[in-house]
Amino acid sequence: MIKALRGMKDFLGDEAQKYAYCVDVCKQLAQNYGFSFCETPLLEETALFKRSVGESSDIVGKEMYQFEDKGGNDVCLRPEGTAGTVRAFLEAKLDRGLANHRFFYYGSMYRYERPQRGRLRQFHQFGVESFGLDDIKEDVNIILLAKSILDFFGIKATLKLNSIGCQSCMPPYKQNLVKFLESTDGLCEDCQRRKNTNPIRVLDCKNEACHELLRPAPRLLNNLCKDCKNDFEELKKLLDKSSIKYEIDTNLVRGLDYYSKTAFEFVSDELGAQGTIIGGGRYDKLVEYLGGKATPAIGFAMGFERLMELVSMPETKRSGYYFGSLGKGAYEVLLGKANKLRLSEKVHLDYQDRSLKAHLKQADKKNALYCVCVGENELASQTLWLKNLETKEEKILRLDEL
Ligand code: HAM
């Protein structure tokens, strides 16, 4: 039997319902916060991710589903949604106007990682991207939206916050850090490699021994330029005013190269090793870097599979109709009625002749609010029998009354 590929899974039944429910909630909340829907292709030119996510990142270095298409183009399945959204933003020339734009998107992303709990090769993200606002209040808006989504589902997660500086404070900090790393023996192989390719990712190493060795490493937060420092202080102040709790994590550097200034994650301790549900931050230079006019931007993405582990479905209320026929000729009448009603209501039209008792049982199983049956008597009198399964009230209606 052919099975789904390793690290890829189906959403069926309850799982599919939960996914649809989570998507609906996120969409609604994002719209409430002023974001509008966008959708970009699953396949993009590989160069887009190399330039944005960065050649030194694990995603581009090791995890992309990259191949040559039949036209000889170097393409890859999107590992994340920000790069594609920026490309779409640029292609639509939205960088040329003065307006700001806020988008949300959702869908599958692809990373060839080692599958484990909360880490898949095909996973689903809900993401938001905001373009054009160089204002720390937009950082607050974005963080509040992320928190609202988690709050809606009753999920407790810690907001971790850091600033990873800008083009004026990051390069001298990097030099300092590299000096420190070069004088430190015993770092793991990954850190040795990152020391040369992307030194700040060393701070993010999960290895316990490296943690200890990195304790005295210089901290970027202590080396921010005046501008970045002011922004970070302002962000903390505004979050405090909104009673949003956070932890400063000076090691939070994120795994993608496009970030500057604000970086944040929401982390749950109920998810095992892959506890980050939401990750995001500012990427003020990316639009320009990909060929557009300088446009500040900020966003986040949330992993649906991780979210869904923590979401319980609300009890579904009875809704719609169940139609059952009792004898010859009834089905045709019910079909005509169902077709009309289905323009506005959910109607389960049962195809089998069953007893009234059996139909009521089926209607209950389908969680219908009304059970409607037609038998010989109803056919003769052009009526319908209807029962409200919540109030248990029964009625005979004329066919045109329903
Ligand atoms: P990211 O941190 O790479 O950021 O991913 C965001 C979220 O996607 C993670 O926090 C996690 O919940 C989920 N995720 C990532 N990889 C996997 C995986 N292999 N399996 C399951 N879930 C996963 C980004 O993707 C950025 N584009 C976020 C962003 C948007 N920054 C600014 N705008």
Side-chain angles (χ1 to χ4, degrees), residues 272-322:
Q274 303 302 321
T276 307
I277 312 177
I278 294 178
R282 272 208 170 263
Y283 50 95
D284 287 344
K285 295 290 162 204
L286 184 58
V287 173
E288 202 177 346
Y289 191 58
L290 291 178
K293 270 174 61 178
T295 309
I298 176 166
F300 72 74
M302 177 185 68
F304 271 119
E305 283 78 2
R306 295 183 194 178
L307 177 86
M308 283 161 64
E309 264 205 57
L310 303 173
V311 167
S312 354
M313 287 290 279
E315 249 182 54
T316 46
K317 281 199 191 143
R318 288 189 179 281
S319 67
Y321 292 77
Y322 171 96

Side-chain angles (χ1 to χ4, degrees), residues 49-173:
F49 300 109
K50 283 194 173 165
R51 270 201 250 159
S52 52
V53 177
E55 304 237 24
S56 63
S57 68
D58 283 352
I59 296 179
V60 170
K62 312 192 253 191
E63 297 168 0
M64 292 215 291
Y65 279 86
Q66 183 183 352
F67 58 95
E68 199 183 282
D69 73 5
K70 290 199 163 75
N73 304 299
D74 182 3
V75 296
C76 90
L77 283 170
R78 61 183 184 190
E80 57 101 56
T82 308
T85 311
V86 172
R87 187 214 26 80
F89 175 83
L90 284 174
E91 231 174 298
K93 302 187 174 41
L94 298 180
D95 59 320
R96 312 236 174 123
L98 293 173
N100 59 295
H101 297 271
R102 296 192 180 105
F103 298 111
F104 74 83
Y105 54 86
Y106 57 93
S108 50
M109 309 288 158
Y110 301 84
R111 296 183 193 174
Y112 198 85
E113 295 190 80
R114 195 170 49 77
Q116 64 180 85
R117 179 179 171 200
R119 193 207 268 160
L120 289 112
R121 288 179 176 169
Q122 176 182 285
F123 59 99
H124 298 78
Q125 277 187 346
F126 181 85
V128 304
E129 314 293 350
S130 164
F131 297 100
L133 287 165
D134 181 20
D135 189 327
I136 209 71
K137 295 188 195 79
E138 187 62 357
D139 303 37
V140 176
N141 191 39
I142 290 273
I143 290 174
L144 282 179
L145 168 57
K147 172 131 179 59
S148 295
I149 293 175
L150 298 175
D151 284 350
F152 182 94
F153 293 113
I155 293 172
K156 294 209 171 2
T158 307
L159 167 59
K160 298 199 170 181
L161 208 58
N162 194 17
S163 170
I164 43 185
C166 65
Q167 280 179 336
S168 89
C169 49
M170 178 49 101
Y173 168 73

Side-chain angles (χ1 to χ4, degrees), residues 15 37 53 58 71-72 86 90 106 123 150 182 215-216 246 249 253 262 268 270 272 295 306 309 325 351 355:
E15 199 69 358
F37 178 55
V53 177
D58 283 352
V86 172
L90 284 174
Y106 57 93
F123 59 99
L150 298 175
E182 270 164 1
R215 220 175 268 275
Y246 54 84
D249 181 352
V253 293
T262 307
S268 159
E270 288 175 48
T295 309
R306 295 183 194 178
E309 264 205 57
S325 51
Y351 298 153
S355 67

